Amino acid sequence: MGSRDYSSMSGSGTIGSSATRRFGEFGQRSSFGSQGKERKTANLQPLVSRSLSMSVIDGSSDGGVRREKGQPALRETEEDEGEMSFGQSGVRLVRQFGKQGCGRSDLTLPSGIHATPQGQLFIVDCGNSRIQVTDSRGNVLQQIGPSSPSTLRKCRNYFDIAVNSKGLIALSCAAERALHIYNRHGRLLQTYGGANQNSNKDELEAPRGVTVTRSDEFLVADIRKGTLIALKLEPKAACRIERTVVTGFHRPYLVAACLISGLIAVSERGSETGRVPCVKILAPDWNTIRILGVCAGMGPVLLSPWGICIDRDGNVLVADWAEQGHRIVLYPSRGVGQPIITEGLSSPRGLTILPEGHMAVSDSMHHCVKIFRYKNNQD
């Protein structure tokens, strides 16, 4: 379905055939229903400034809400059934699976990872340009990848992945600057964005993280445009039904959502011009309610946040490439954040929540996925 560009200035706007919402430069939102009625909600985000020098991992430049119509595990440890806390002593490595290679059960530089409510894992096997679908023990259930060896030889730089309740699979590709949508059988249905597209500010320019929201939309972080883009797709052909654009971010990178609470987390990369890395927590109405990783009094200061996830209790977990080593930091819904894993990880890129108080980490340079029990299941 096509889309049109809309502009709004100080409460005025142009309404097309589709409903439109836009955030302004400072987060003001205008909502237009089918009758053209307008509603505004302020979304003022705190400004954070701190001098920081960091190497730019991603080469992309910086870039309202708007609406438009297998193999078994390689290692397993015995779980501690006693009372556990969020501290390091309470975290247990349950199992890990994968090793470097191109075989059926191998992983090479795993990147994004997504867990379904049923416990299946969808893993971006970046080095092999494919998606590995496994159960929580690492048994391979399905593989989705290039249809020919010539395609496989091309470096596609697949990045992140998400799966909605209808079985649609969204895979972001940094090299192609595109979001690919597959069906549950691995057939490519649609591609949004693309490096060779004509300049169109409505399309994706540099998609990175992708997740699924409580309303079953795909939410994509566009690092170049500085936006989050939510896509509501038709379940059979993945045609776009509705599109929401949330502006006002600085180099957004990874994104996560909680299907229970509707909370959304987005990491920002920071820059050498004074913009600091952080993780912003948004309410379901897109208002920023917390900023994590910038104040030492509220927990560890983040240096290079990668994978992020939110559990059903509102706890935010972040994979941070810190100077003292790569780690997983937990910021509780209340209280001060703390590192819960400080050893044994090398370039962790993706995080996702599994049932029973478990967390899966794609440990990129170790070419494996590690499953941790980080809290007791209290359900």
Side-chain angles (χ1 to χ4, degrees):
M1 302 181 71
S3 62
R4 295 176 57 187
D5 177 45
Y6 297 90
S7 61
S8 63
M9 297 179 61
S10 302
S12 63
T14 304
I15 306 174
S17 58
S18 301
T20 303
R21 295 182 184 176
R22 173 183 290 272
F23 269 96
E25 180 180 359
F26 297 100
Q28 190 177 64
R29 182 177 65 199
S30 300
S31 303
F32 298 94
S34 58
Q35 303 301 318
K37 296 181 180 179
E38 181 176 354
R39 176 170 54 87
K40 294 183 179 180
T41 304
N43 176 28
L44 301 179
Q45 301 180 2
L47 299 178
V48 181
S49 178
R50 175 168 58 87
S51 176
L52 177 69
S53 176
M54 63 174 287
S55 59
V56 179
I57 298 175
D58 188 283
S60 301
S61 61
D62 295 339
V65 174
R66 179 173 63 215
R67 286 210 179 261
E68 306 165 1
K69 286 275 171 215
Q71 289 285 333
L74 296 181
R75 183 172 71 180
E76 185 169 350
T77 61
E78 186 174 331
E79 295 184 29
D80 182 359
E81 297 299 333
E83 185 68 22
M84 299 172 66
S85 68
F86 286 135
Q88 287 178 264
S89 61
V91 175
R92 300 289 184 268
L93 176 65
V94 177
R95 68 183 65 92
Q96 70 179 55
F97 58 86
K99 61 180 178 61
Q100 185 174 12
C102 57
R104 176 173 172 77
S105 61
D106 295 338
L107 295 168
T108 299
L109 299 174
S111 183
I113 186 170
H114 173 92
T116 67
Q118 296 74 33
Q120 289 185 347
L121 290 171
F122 286 72
I123 307 161
V124 178
D125 187 3
C126 185
N128 291 314
S129 295
R130 65 186 179 185
I131 301 168
Q132 291 275 44
V133 185
T134 75
D135 62 18
S136 62
R137 306 186 73 85
N139 299 302
V140 176
L141 307 176
Q142 184 184 4
Q143 291 180 328
I144 300 171
S147 57
S148 66
S150 61
T151 305
L152 178 60
R153 285 193 292 269
K154 297 179 181 178
C155 179
R156 304 183 72 90
N157 197 12
Y158 293 136
F159 192 83
D160 201 13
I161 191 168
V163 184
N164 72 5
S165 65
K166 302 299 189 296
L168 294 179
I169 303 166
L171 175 67
S172 63
C173 180
E176 297 177 4
R177 300 180 186 175
L179 185 74
H180 301 296
I181 308 296
Y182 296 85
N183 65 12
R184 67 177 74 247
H185 305 295
R187 177 188 173 192
L188 180 63
L189 300 178
Q190 299 286 345
T191 296
Y192 293 98
N196 297 321
Q197 70 178 11
N198 295 328
S199 178
N200 185 339
K201 64 182 180 180
D202 274 344
E203 295 299 336
L204 297 167
E205 291 185 4
R208 292 297 185 267
V210 58
T211 191
V212 174
T213 68
R214 185 171 60 176
S215 58
D216 212 34
E217 296 177 320
F218 288 115
L219 185 63
V220 189
D222 192 314
I223 191 172
R224 177 170 292 183
K225 297 186 74 171
T227 60
L228 298 183
I229 299 174
L231 297 173
K232 183 178 181 181
L233 303 180
E234 184 273 328
K236 291 186 177 180
C239 295
R240 189 174 72 195
I241 298 174
E242 199 168 61
R243 180 174 180 268
T244 305
V245 180
V246 186
T247 63
F249 298 95
H250 182 73
R251 302 186 72 221
Y253 208 57
L254 276 297
V255 64
C258 177
L259 301 183
I260 305 299
S261 66
L263 293 176
I264 296 164
V266 55
S267 64
E268 294 187 342
R269 300 300 288 165
S271 70
E272 295 185 354
T273 60
R275 302 302 293 264
V276 300
C278 67
V279 172
K280 291 181 178 177
I281 308 302
L282 313 180
D285 62 1
W286 307 110
N287 286 312
T288 300
I289 57 177
R290 297 175 68 193
I291 297 181
L292 306 174
V294 296
C295 176
M298 295 304 296
V301 173
L302 298 172
L303 180 64
S304 182
W306 276 78
I308 51 178
C309 56
I310 310 176
D311 68 18
R312 63 185 305 144
D313 298 318
N315 306 302
V316 181
L317 296 110
V318 184
D320 183 38
W321 297 9
E323 289 180 345
Q324 64 272 29
H326 298 169
R327 61 188 181 176
I328 305 298
V329 179
L330 187 144
Y331 297 94
S333 56
R334 296 181 181 85
V336 178
Q338 61 180 304
I340 60 171
I341 302 171
T342 58
E343 297 178 347
L345 298 175
S346 181
S347 301
R349 292 177 180 265
L351 296 181
T352 191
I353 297 295
L354 285 163
E356 307 298 329
H358 290 79
M359 169 185 61
V361 183
S362 58
D363 196 354
S364 182
M365 294 305 293
H366 287 152
H367 310 285
C368 68
V369 170
K370 294 179 177 177
I371 311 294
F372 295 90
R373 183 178 183 186
Y374 73 100
K375 67 173 183 176
N376 279 330
N377 178 35
Q378 300 175 349
D379 298 333

